[in-house]
Amino acid sequence: MATLLHIDSSVFPGEASSSRSVADAFCKAWEEQHPEGTVIYRDVAAEPVPHMTVDAHTAGFADPSAHTPEQSVAFAARVKLIEELEQADAVLIGAPMYNYSIPSTLKAWLDNVILLGRTAGETPSVQGTPVTVVASRGGSYAPGTPRAGYEFVQNYLEAVLRGTLGLDVDFIVPELTMAPRNPAMSELIPLYEASRERAFEDAIAKAKELAERLAA
């Protein structure tokens, strides 16, 4: 049965987070298709992975037999995260927009799993693995909107996930999530509600389609 790697990075718990809620809908639809499958779950907000250190970085370019004790410990933590990614048949990432970019905890996870000569380079070990990113945001940064130029979540993740790791990337974008909480955005609530409904529908449909494709 297929294995799904599910990464959450929102600082908000449960239904208070749009990225978590939509990703949860995806995961539940996936599990319905794969009741005997495996879900590897990491909440990098609740349990952050180590940010990159000089020992973790330099160990990736040195012979393991020459590692210092500090390099060995740091690199072992990286390898564990890399192996989780490599054994996944599909990946699900909750990536809310914070200050126009992704949470630092998600960036730390990416820094750890990107390893030249293994997951990155001419033949990435995870090449072709489908990844669904739930890229929620409080406003709208779609093309043609006033803040389109501030969109650094999809652009960055497209470059890193597809360009560096060779993953097959698909985005679900629940937007205007601040509308119900910000009186200045109250007129945008209908657009927020439509975006939220569409995001849940997309998550369920994509999960089922992906599960069926991998089972074929």
Side-chain angles (χ1 to χ4, degrees), residues 86-157:
E86 289 177 332
Q87 74 182 85
D89 296 290
V91 182
L92 171 64
I93 299 175
M97 177 186 281
Y98 293 160
N99 299 316
Y100 310 122
S101 187
I102 62 174
S104 65
T105 51
L106 180 55
K107 177 64 162 55
W109 179 80
L110 287 166
D111 287 341
N112 275 280
V113 300
I114 296 172
L115 180 60
L116 189 63
R118 184 164 176 174
T119 59
E122 293 185 6
T123 55
S125 59
V126 295
Q127 187 167 10
T129 302
V131 54
T132 303
V133 179
V134 181
S136 61
R137 60 275 316 274
S140 179
Y141 299 81
T145 62
R147 293 202 170 187
Y150 292 86
E151 206 300 306
F152 301 112
V153 172
Q154 287 179 262
N155 291 340
Y156 170 72
L157 291 177

Side-chain angles (χ1 to χ4, degrees), residues 61-95:
F61 298 93
D63 188 315
S65 64
H67 284 177
T68 66
E70 293 78 13
Q71 285 179 316
S72 295
V73 172
F75 194 61
R78 288 188 71 185
V79 168
K80 181 178 181 180
L81 297 173
I82 289 169
E83 289 177 342
E84 288 178 351
L85 178 59
E86 289 177 332
Q87 74 182 85
D89 296 290
V91 182
L92 171 64
I93 299 175

Side-chain angles (χ1 to χ4, degrees), residues 171-192:
F171 288 94
I172 299 173
V173 185
E175 61 179 10
L176 300 168
T177 62
M178 286 299 297
R181 302 176 180 85
N182 185 348
M185 298 175 64
S186 60
E187 64 181 21
L188 299 175
I189 289 177
L191 292 177
Y192 151 73

Side-chain angles (χ1 to χ4, degrees), residues 34-65:
H34 286 295
E36 298 179 2
T38 300
V39 175
I40 302 171
Y41 180 67
R42 277 199 174 270
D43 185 340
V44 296
E47 297 182 16
V49 302
H51 279 77
M52 188 59 64
T53 64
V54 64
D55 289 321
H57 177 72
T58 56
F61 298 93
D63 188 315
S65 64

Side-chain angles (χ1 to χ4, degrees), residues 22 162 196:
V22 175
R162 189 188 303 277
R196 179 179 174 82

